[in-house]
Amino acid sequence: MVIFSKSYASSKWCLDELAHIIKCQKELDQIVIPIFYNVDPSDVRHQTQTFAESFSQHEEKYKDDIERIQRWRDAFAESGKISGFHLQNYRNEAECIKEIVDELMSLLHIKSDDDGDRGMDAQTPILIDEGKMSFSRDKKTGKKCFMIAARGLDIEWSNTPDYWEWLPHSDSRFGEVAKLKWVCWLDIRGKIETRRLSKRTKYVAYLVFKLEDKFHGLETVSAVVRFVDSMSVKEAEQRASVVHFAGQGSRETLPFKRADGWMELKMGDFFNDAGEDGDVDARLMETQRLEAKGGLIVQGVEFRPEGSRSGVPPRMKKRRILLLLCLIVLVLFGLIQVLLYMALLDERINREN
């Protein structure tokens, strides 16, 4: 969000930030929302009125760095073209602020009623779609990450209490997880619209889960990811690859422990080009060996850009780092005290001699 006021262009820091924001919009597909506070969008677009004076002063001050000035002007021109919020179109500031909040919540697919999914700390992914999905951005690239909760998945027999159990879990970001009690036919699907994902990005789909100590029948399963409109269910089943909950296999087909304590198993990957390929379906199944299976706890299916880190970094790591730093400071303080004591002792001995 960029708030343009009459004095905005007088600050080189604001101009540098704006140039970087527009760069992120172009390269990372990030959303930019301009707010025109007592200024006209056309004045921003053409750098007129008070902005003209500010740019004139910058050109005099930074006449040896014309490229920087041009980046600022280009960023201003691009920002003025973006549909935003013009304060003069509202009766008062409160009305404008309300519309801005509604727009943000709509972009993030958050319901406007207070359903307990908001008010979380900055490290916690935002729960959306009535708590059936979480949204976050990769810290390094800014690209979008989504996890579909177990309640948002299509799980065969999940509504049969003898086969699956729905219960809260203290380590889950969602209200419920699905616990497999006993089935012969295992089939789990997670579907997401490509338009929600970051464009021109390779994504990986993961099953996020835990296994009970006495799990059984889950050593190997099949997994596949497909564009629903481009590949039939039968073709997908034929292309499915074997992955391993336990046992031996290649590194890519084995589960890994995440930073949040859960395990994740790669189901497949795909390239999201322009977000115009419809739905993507990630499916995990074991329907060939009709043996009893149990002991699986499903949190959800996550769609994450390739190479991004998994899970929410545990706070315990930060605490350990802080404790370690405190210990180092105490040790250094102790050494300084010892050195001072030894220096005073040497001085006393010299005086006595």
Side-chain angles (χ1 to χ4, degrees), residues 303-316:
F303 293 87
R304 199 170 71 237
E306 185 180 49
S308 62
R309 300 179 67 178
S310 61
V312 179
R315 296 179 181 178
M316 188 58 67

Side-chain angles (χ1 to χ4, degrees), residues 18-287:
L18 180 63
H20 187 70
I21 288 170
I22 296 300
K23 180 182 178 183
C24 289
Q25 181 202 33
K26 293 179 178 179
E27 296 181 359
L28 303 178
D29 196 33
Q30 293 188 346
I31 297 172
V32 177
I33 301 176
I35 300 170
F36 304 99
Y37 188 82
N38 293 329
V39 298
D40 194 280
S42 64
D43 291 333
V44 173
R45 187 162 59 250
H46 301 294
Q47 299 101 64
T48 52
Q49 299 294 333
T50 58
F51 303 130
E53 182 180 351
S54 295
F55 271 99
S56 178
Q57 292 174 358
H58 289 314
E59 288 174 345
E60 179 64 28
K61 187 175 182 179
Y62 302 105
K63 54 188 174 183
D64 295 331
D65 195 355
I66 299 301
E67 290 185 3
R68 187 181 189 187
I69 302 294
Q70 191 58 48
R71 283 198 301 271
W72 293 346
R73 285 193 177 277
D74 291 343
F76 247 70
E78 288 293 330
S79 301
K81 296 176 184 177
I82 300 172
S83 176
F85 295 89
H86 190 187
L87 185 62
Q88 294 180 4
N89 294 334
Y90 300 89
R91 289 177 298 177
N92 51 51
E93 292 183 13
E95 185 182 81
C96 181
I97 291 171
K98 184 181 183 303
E99 283 219 16
I100 293 169
V101 172
D102 290 342
E103 174 70 11
L104 287 173
M105 294 176 72
S106 174
L107 288 170
L108 294 173
H109 307 283
I110 300 174
K111 294 291 184 180
S112 59
D113 56 314
D114 190 1
D115 54 8
D117 291 343
R118 286 172 278 129
M120 296 172 285
D121 61 70
Q123 290 188 343
T124 306
I126 300 171
L127 296 186
I128 59 177
D129 290 0
E130 299 179 343
K132 293 182 180 180
M133 184 182 290
S134 70
F135 166 79
S136 61
R137 286 188 182 272
D138 179 61
K139 288 186 177 180
K140 187 176 181 180
T141 64
K143 295 191 175 184
K144 302 173 186 176
C145 307
F146 291 91
M147 186 191 295
I148 304 173
R151 275 295 186 189
L153 302 176
D154 184 6
I155 303 177
E156 197 75 27
W157 309 108
S158 62
N159 293 324
T160 306
D162 290 340
Y163 299 149
W164 287 88
E165 180 181 4
W166 293 94
L167 68 165
H169 195 291
S170 59
D171 295 335
S172 175
R173 67 182 63 173
F174 303 109
E176 288 181 307
V177 298
K179 177 182 175 182
L180 174 59
K181 298 168 68 175
W182 182 92
V183 292
C184 289
W185 186 284
L186 179 67
D187 197 343
I188 301 172
R189 300 186 187 190
K191 189 182 295 184
I192 192 168
E193 298 170 295
T194 55
R195 67 179 180 85
R196 279 190 160 186
L197 305 174
S198 295
K199 299 176 184 177
R200 298 176 293 280
T201 301
K202 185 177 181 180
Y203 273 87
V204 182
Y206 299 93
L207 181 76
V208 182
F209 69 97
K210 286 189 176 184
L211 291 174
E212 294 188 308
D213 293 337
K214 296 182 180 180
F215 77 92
H216 56 278
L218 296 168
E219 287 72 20
T220 61
V221 292
S222 296
V224 64
V225 174
R226 69 183 178 105
F227 290 107
V228 174
D229 295 337
S230 304
M231 184 184 298
S232 66
V233 173
K234 184 175 182 180
E235 186 180 0
E237 290 176 350
Q238 294 172 347
R239 293 190 179 186
S241 58
V242 175
V243 292
H244 304 257
F245 275 110
Q248 297 181 347
S250 63
R251 179 181 176 86
E252 195 174 46
T253 63
L254 293 172
F256 285 87
K257 189 171 184 178
R258 297 158 52 97
D260 57 8
W262 288 80
M263 301 294 291
E264 66 180 24
L265 184 65
K266 181 177 178 180
M267 302 172 70
D269 55 49
F270 62 96
F271 184 77
N272 185 45
D273 188 10
E276 299 175 354
D277 292 312
D279 292 341
V280 170
D281 181 46
R283 184 181 180 190
L284 185 134
M285 55 193 166
E286 209 302 284
T287 58

